[in-house]
Amino acid sequence: GHLEELEGKVRELEGQMEERRVQQERDAEEMKRKDEECDVLRNEKAQLEGMVIEMNGKMTSVGDEGRGVDDDLEIEALKGAMKQLQVEKRQLEEEKQQLEGDKEDLQYEQQQLLNDKKQLQVQNEELIHNRMALKGARESLEKTLEETEKELEE
């Protein structure tokens, strides 16, 4: 009964460890995706910064009197888009940090599960050892009992 219970616990732990491994793979893929999103945002930001510099260059060369309302609107739109990109980038960085934390938690839990599994295996081996010792003691007692019965008969 106890041995089966231990074996059940070991199987349960192995199942939990497999779930954690799959979760770690998912988290790694998610982090990779977030990194890629960050790269895309960095590229977009660089492009926007280039466009702002270009617009500022046009404004300087044209001078205030030659600049139209459209240029001002375009510059404001670009600045707004850059702010939005910075917000999105910050959010992605935070999500990435969260994933790092989750990954560390999972690794810690996995280590705990491994330790539990080792402990159960040790208990299992002790039980088997004790069972063998008890069997040996029983056989020894039965032999002694037989010998005693023979002596009594004689």
Side-chain angles (χ1 to χ4, degrees):
H2 199 59
L3 193 61
E4 290 81 13
E5 188 182 320
L6 281 175
E7 288 168 350
K9 283 182 183 176
V10 168
R11 276 193 300 278
E12 187 181 321
L13 283 172
E14 287 170 343
Q16 288 175 357
M17 285 167 62
E18 178 60 20
E19 286 173 26
R20 296 250 173 8
R21 191 186 61 70
V22 169
Q23 183 62 45
Q24 279 181 326
E25 284 176 12
R26 271 195 231 115
D27 286 351
E29 288 170 16
E30 181 72 9
M31 281 177 66
K32 188 177 163 199
R33 195 177 60 70
K34 296 267 190 250
D35 281 340
E36 289 167 1
E37 284 180 32
C38 280
D39 289 342
V40 168
L41 287 174
R42 268 189 223 102
N43 291 337
E44 286 179 21
K45 184 180 176 207
Q47 286 176 338
L48 285 171
E49 285 170 345
M51 289 165 77
V52 167
I53 290 167
E54 191 181 314
M55 289 300 294
N56 284 336
K58 277 186 197 172
M59 288 184 336
T60 308
S61 64
V62 170
D64 286 343
E65 66 283 346
R67 192 171 80 211
V69 175
D70 289 347
D71 289 340
D72 286 342
L73 290 175
E74 193 174 339
I75 289 169
E76 286 310 309
L78 286 172
K79 285 181 181 174
M82 279 179 65
K83 280 187 181 148
Q84 182 59 36
L85 279 173
Q86 285 172 329
V87 168
E88 288 176 27
K89 184 180 170 194
R90 200 169 321 129
Q91 286 172 340
L92 279 171
E93 297 283 339
E94 286 169 11
E95 288 177 31
K96 198 172 149 186
Q97 293 276 262
Q98 183 63 46
L99 279 172
E100 285 285 349
D102 292 350
K103 184 178 169 186
E104 286 170 14
D105 290 348
L106 279 172
Q107 286 171 337
Y108 176 78
E109 286 179 37
Q110 196 168 23
Q111 189 56 52
Q112 292 302 105
L113 286 172
L114 278 173
N115 294 345
D116 291 351
K117 183 179 175 185
K118 286 178 190 163
Q119 210 172 345
L120 284 172
Q121 286 170 334
V122 167
Q123 288 177 359
N124 194 2
E125 287 167 17
E126 287 173 0
L127 272 175
I128 291 170
H129 179 78
N130 290 345
R131 196 176 280 165
M132 299 294 271
L134 281 171
K135 188 177 174 189
R138 184 187 306 129
E139 288 171 358
S140 174
L141 279 172
E142 286 171 356
K143 191 174 177 186
T144 306
L145 186 64
E146 284 174 22
E147 290 170 1
T148 307
E149 286 174 351
K150 280 183 187 169
E151 286 176 14
L152 287 174
E153 283 173 13
E154 288 171 11

